[in-house]
Amino acid sequence: MKKYRIDLPAKAVENLELEKNTSLVLMVDNKTLTIRPSRTVEMLPQIMMRWYLIPAVLAAVIFFCLSWANHHWVISLTGNWSIGFAALYLGTFSGVVAFATAFIRQKRHRSGPAMELHWRNLPTLLIAFGTILAISIMIVFWLAEKMFAGASFDIYTSTLFVFLFVAAITYGMLNLAMTISEAVITNSMMIMIIGGMLFSMLTNSNRDWWHYNFSYLGTQQNATYWRFNITLIFSALLMATLVDYLFFNLQKKYPDRGVIVLRILLYAEAACLGGIGCFPNDPQYHVLHDRISMWLVYIMILIIGLLRWLMPGLSRQFLKISYTIGGIMALDWLVFKVTNYLSLTAFELLEFGLSFSWLLLLFQNLEYLARIGDQIFPIRIEKNDDDHQ
């Protein structure tokens, strides 16, 4: 049987932190080669049981003592004092503290994926991920209320449920902190924007909101306007963190002025996204809200038009997709301004969908460029003529 030799770059081996004589295995899947240590379990994040069980026990004890002191012998699944209430506040607090502790631990020990992030990113990540966690818990118990209307449990069973919820939440946040990456932040931003907006649409006080405009969800006419606005604000924070994360490596490899300009323009996009949430379409902010919304579109079209010169490493295929999306956005704006074919809601939804899709594609391509040289290495496969079988 013919054999081949693979030469691995020294930096790739250093990044894996492999010990001497560590055995590797080669996996072939769909014409893709993957080389990894044979004992993959050692490469997975090691989360001790006490890290999430102790906070869960403390949360359960607090919940039990407060319920006992206030004579809550039967506790409902949702409501002011309920299992959902405890999971929301105790679970979110435990999860955020667990994430911060794991992040700080990685930074202090100089190991783990958090090393690629700056200390200044921690507050933003805590706020953003804490918000995503809180909204996710609210969605879960909102659905539970619809499926199990009127469900209630005794104090002991309720305490057990709180323990399980807090343990699961804390474990999830620990795992998130120990596997943080550009892709995780991008996916979190996507989940926050789509999930937050869908939740706002489902829980808003006016089922005919779409007769007005998309921005209606963030106005005070909607009882749950704060969910829509918080979604935009913290999505903007995540976007700014992602830009900071990606361009820290990109500017080392592409020290051109265009890359700096692109970074500034993406920060401006994040600022516009957050500004739409800070200044909703209420009468006192109407003009400013409209201006910021249009700046968001103008800046994006400007980036698309200059992308070839700002970031020369991008593929021709992505540039073609970008020009197509930019052209559709411009045509959409022209049709809306000149004709009555599109309603304001349709125009805003179409512009939002196109711009959000393009941003995700852009970040995926920038992530690939940022990883080249650090996580993607060229290798050489040579035929070994000395080996025969």
Side-chain angles (χ1 to χ4, degrees), residues 210 212-214 281 290 336 342-349:
W210 55 274
Y212 301 93
N213 52 57
F214 188 50
N281 197 20
D290 281 355
F336 173 72
L342 288 175
S343 66
L344 179 57
T345 304
F347 167 73
E348 290 181 332
L349 284 173

Side-chain angles (χ1 to χ4, degrees), residues 13 80 145 152:
V13 179
N80 291 331
E145 182 183 11
S152 58

Side-chain angles (χ1 to χ4, degrees), residues 77 119 167 173 193 201 248 274 278 281 319 329 339 345 374 381:
L77 185 62
W119 281 106
M173 292 298 282
I193 292 179
M201 293 177 189
F248 177 75
C278 291
N281 197 20
L319 291 175
M329 290 177 66
T339 70
T345 304
D374 287 338
I381 301 178

